Structures are given as structure tokens and as C-alpha cells.
Amino acid sequence: KGKVPKTSVQFGETVYLKEGPCEINLEYSQIMEIYFYSEIYVLMFAKDNGIMLKSDGFTQGTAADFKKWIREKCPVARIIDKEK
């Protein structure tokens, strides 16, 4: 009660999200829009559903590495870059 479940996101063959007892796997082709803000990145896979990532929360590579990599993995996603 009142506890925030632990959340982790892993990027491999698919995007794997685990939040408490809930788990989902997404294909990169399901990501429709990608928002880059200074502190948060959002990968939208439905009109009202997305995965929020802290830009300083990557355990491998940097935020800049991720931005380049995710653009390559999701070439049809609409990119909204507000980080500039």
C-alpha cells in the first residue's frame, strides 16, 4: 500500500518492461513516437501508453548512445526532440 513497484526496462531483441508483477515485451516496430526531454525519454507504443526512461538512468552506455541507437532500431517512429 502506497509503495511504488520496482521498474526495469531491458533492450535486446525486444523491449522488456517489468513493473512489479506486470511484464510486457514490445517489438521495436510497435514504438510509434519517441520523445527526448532533458531528463526523461518517452517511448510511446500506444496513444496513451509509453515507457518513461530517466536520461541519467542507463546502466550501459550514455544517453547520447541510446538516442542514436533507438533511432536506428525504430526508423519509422516519429521523433520529438525537446532536449536541445
Side-chain angles (χ1 to χ4, degrees):
K1 295 179 185 189
K3 290 186 178 181
V4 177
K6 182 179 177 180
T7 302
S8 67
V9 182
Q10 297 175 347
F11 297 92
E13 291 297 314
T14 61
V15 179
Y16 172 74
L17 169 71
K18 180 168 176 50
E19 184 173 70
C22 301
E23 299 177 33
I24 60 170
N25 271 299
L26 296 170
E27 299 292 329
Y28 291 96
S29 61
Q30 291 177 266
I31 297 173
M32 304 178 330
E33 294 179 328
I34 303 171
Y35 292 83
F36 296 114
Y37 297 99
S38 60
E39 296 181 15
I40 299 286
Y41 297 162
V42 184
L43 310 178
M44 297 299 295
F45 57 89
K47 185 177 183 230
D48 297 320
N49 290 312
I51 299 171
M52 293 176 54
L53 307 165
K54 291 176 66 178
S55 60
D56 65 353
F58 295 100
T59 58
Q60 292 181 356
T62 66
D65 295 335
F66 177 78
K67 283 179 73 172
K68 181 180 178 196
W69 179 82
I70 198 69
R71 286 174 192 257
E72 292 170 0
K73 293 294 279 185
C74 305
V76 297
R78 185 172 152 234
I79 306 292
I80 300 92
D81 194 340
K82 303 281 188 175
E83 192 171 32
K84 300 173 186 167

